[in-house]
Amino acid sequence: MQTIKSTPVKYDARKLSNSEQALLRQMAVERVLAGEPVTAVTRAYGLGDKTLYKWLRTYKNKGPQALAQTAKQGRRRQLTEEQLLQVIDWLIAAPGYNWSRAQLLQKIGAEFSVTCSATTLGRLMASCGLRAPQFSGPYSCYIAGCWIQQDDTLMKSVVRRKKAERVSLIPVVLNEPSGREHWQGWAAFGARGGVMLFPQSNFLSALVSLNNAGSSYVVLADSVLLGTDDWLSQIASLKNITLMLVAQPAQALEVAAPSVEDAVLEVFAEEI
């Protein structure tokens, strides 16, 4: 006679309604109280042992009615869609101004009488398209008229010695909470949480705008298609900008001889 193997039932509680979650808690606890091992019950329902033990403690300390309680309604959203759109408009209306999270939170409190945490603000801004990138890997640094391969450690040293702020410059599309496109341009995300917006333009124009913002910056960006020598000379003229690309330039420049490279590195050391 063929043996039929039973397959454990796995529940994703996130997909269950509040009443279904309450019923699952009650069923699991009742099976343990009836003498079934905890591991057998957790295997049957696809639960973790710690979860079931927590339900058992709740039953013991607060009674079966505590297991039947449904999840409480989440907190009301701290900013309405109209208010969130107004925050976006503040950033757009002041291109090149370095907004810190503290400044935005203070202005939100003054304008809307709303207390909003930095985490909540970041999550809301990300939902509209303002999410700082997480760059990783080797960098190509443009300094002293030449591209030099860098690693992450040396990049951090450049930031410290030049007393510059590290920013990530990326193209962004800001959306209204409804999903409709609201604005296109460039965003410079600071390592300490600040953000600057610049009107839609090409990459070089965005760099020029950032250079004119009044501070010294080490700019991290994805690889961009390099243009002519004139394009490179314009980058070299940006005294407040040190450009670092996450990958090698699309159009590789001529590799310098070792003696020339050593000289460039000496100039690099002097500049920083």
Side-chain angles (χ1 to χ4, degrees), residues 59-130:
Y59 176 89
K60 179 180 178 181
N61 297 330
K62 300 181 181 180
Q65 68 278 3
L67 294 175
Q69 292 176 353
T70 58
K72 295 181 179 180
Q73 185 69 27
R75 290 191 301 173
R76 183 177 61 86
R77 188 173 181 175
Q78 292 171 296
L79 291 177
T80 66
E81 291 187 358
E82 292 77 12
Q83 290 171 337
L84 179 57
L85 194 58
Q86 181 62 56
V87 173
I88 296 294
D89 285 340
W90 292 340
L91 302 177
I92 297 172
Y97 182 78
N98 194 351
W99 288 90
S100 67
R101 283 177 294 186
Q103 289 172 321
L104 280 175
L105 293 173
Q106 184 178 14
K107 189 171 179 61
I108 287 171
E111 294 287 336
F112 306 135
S113 299
V114 171
T115 301
C116 181
S117 69
T119 300
T120 298
L121 178 62
R123 186 169 61 250
L124 292 175
M125 300 291 277
S127 69
C128 292
L130 275 180

Side-chain angles (χ1 to χ4, degrees), residues 34-52:
E36 196 168 346
V38 169
T39 53
V41 177
T42 55
R43 190 179 302 113
Y45 290 126
L47 302 170
D49 290 352
K50 291 182 179 180
T51 299
L52 185 48

Side-chain angles (χ1 to χ4, degrees), residues 95-97 169 186 188 196-215 217 219 238 240-241:
Y97 182 78
L169 185 63
W186 293 84
M196 287 181 280
L197 295 186
F198 302 103
Q200 185 178 20
S201 59
N202 58 38
F203 181 66
L204 179 59
S205 297
L207 280 178
V208 172
S209 297
L210 185 59
N211 180 76
N212 297 335
S215 297
Y217 298 100
V219 179
L238 303 179
N240 295 328
I241 298 294

Side-chain angles (χ1 to χ4, degrees), residues 7 26 40 43 82 126 144 146 165 171 195 204 216 218 255 262:
T7 303
Q26 291 175 307
R43 190 179 302 113
E82 292 77 12
C146 181
E165 180 177 357
V195 61
L204 179 59
S216 181
V218 172
V255 179
D262 291 342

Side-chain angles (χ1 to χ4, degrees), residues 208-268:
V208 172
S209 297
L210 185 59
N211 180 76
N212 297 335
S215 297
S216 181
Y217 298 100
V218 172
V219 179
L220 282 71
D222 282 320
S223 292
V224 293
L225 184 63
L226 294 181
T228 62
D229 291 340
D230 181 62
W231 194 93
L232 297 175
S233 65
Q234 290 182 69
I235 292 181
S237 68
L238 303 179
K239 301 304 181 182
N240 295 328
I241 298 294
T242 298
L243 178 61
M244 288 189 170
L245 299 183
V246 176
Q248 287 282 25
Q251 297 178 2
L253 301 181
E254 182 178 353
V255 179
S259 58
V260 176
E261 185 176 8
D262 291 342
V264 171
L265 288 174
E266 289 179 5
V267 174
F268 176 75

